[in-house]
Amino acid sequence: MRTFDLAPLYRSAIGFDRLASLLEQRAESQPSYPPYNVELLAEDKYRIVMALAGFTRDEVEIVAERDTLHVTGRKQKDATERTYLHRGIAARDFEQRFQLANHVKVTTASFDNGMLTIDLVREVPEALKPRKIQIGDANGTLDNVQQLEQRQAA
C-alpha cells in the first residue's frame, strides 16, 4: 500500500482538504470489477468505457449527483440451474463510483455489445473563466490609448 505525504500541499494551498481526503479514500480501496477505461478525448472531453459482459441495458443504472457519478449493475437471477465446469464471466452485481471535478457533466451514455460508454465534458461557466484585468493609474483611470481601444471594441 502506498502512502502520501500531503504536508507540502497543506503548507501552500488553502481549501484543498477535500482533494486530500479523496486521495486517501482511493488509496484505501479500489474496486477491480467491472473493468473500465477512462480516456481523455480532448482538453475538456472524457470517456469512461466499462466492460459489462452478461449484462443488459435494463440491468445497468447511471446516476450523476453533484460531483459523483454512480454506475450500478443489478444482475437479474437466472431461472435456469446451471452447472459450470469453469466460470470466467462474473456477471455479479456491482457499484462503481467516479468522483467528478467541478463543472464536469455527463453528455451521453450508450450500451453496445456489452460495453457501456459514458461521455463527459467539462463546461466552465463564462463568469468563472480567467479574464484579463486592465491596470489604471493611481486615480483608477486608464491611459488615453487604452480608453480609445476599449471604445472601438465596444
Side-chain angles (χ1 to χ4, degrees):
M1 180 190 240
R2 297 180 211 161
T3 59
F4 299 102
D5 180 17
L6 300 174
L9 177 68
Y10 291 130
R11 283 193 297 253
S12 61
I14 308 299
F16 285 90
D17 49 333
R18 182 174 175 270
L19 175 64
S21 67
L22 285 173
L23 288 171
E24 290 171 359
Q25 288 173 0
R26 278 297 185 198
E28 290 173 7
S29 65
Q30 183 64 24
S32 61
Y33 178 78
Y36 65 89
N37 293 334
V38 179
E39 302 174 33
L40 176 63
L41 302 176
E43 184 177 346
D44 289 326
K45 293 185 180 186
Y46 308 90
R47 177 173 288 156
I48 300 170
V49 180
M50 300 180 81
L52 302 179
F55 282 86
T56 64
R57 181 186 329 259
D58 298 332
E59 297 170 328
V60 178
E61 181 180 56
I62 303 170
V63 177
E65 181 182 353
R66 290 190 187 171
D67 59 352
T68 305
L69 176 66
H70 300 270
V71 181
T72 308
R74 300 283 179 244
K75 190 71 182 143
Q76 295 177 358
K77 300 302 177 204
D78 192 5
T80 308
E81 183 86 18
R82 299 179 192 268
T83 303
Y84 293 98
L85 297 178
H86 170 75
R87 186 168 185 180
I89 301 172
R92 62 181 182 260
D93 292 352
F94 70 89
E95 184 174 338
Q96 186 67 257
R97 295 173 190 241
F98 299 93
Q99 290 297 133
L100 302 178
N102 291 336
H103 313 296
V104 173
K105 309 233 181 307
V106 176
T107 56
T108 61
S110 61
F111 190 82
D112 188 37
N113 293 327
M115 300 297 281
L116 175 66
T117 303
I118 304 168
D119 290 322
L120 305 109
V121 65
R122 180 187 358 240
E123 296 175 346
V124 179
E126 198 64 39
L128 298 178
K129 290 184 179 177
R131 60 187 176 94
K132 187 173 182 179
I133 308 298
Q134 295 289 333
I135 301 173
D137 61 13
N139 297 328
T141 59
L142 303 173
D143 66 15
N144 291 336
V145 175
Q146 289 176 331
Q147 288 178 356
L148 289 174
E149 288 175 355
Q150 285 183 349
R151 287 183 193 151
Q152 290 174 354

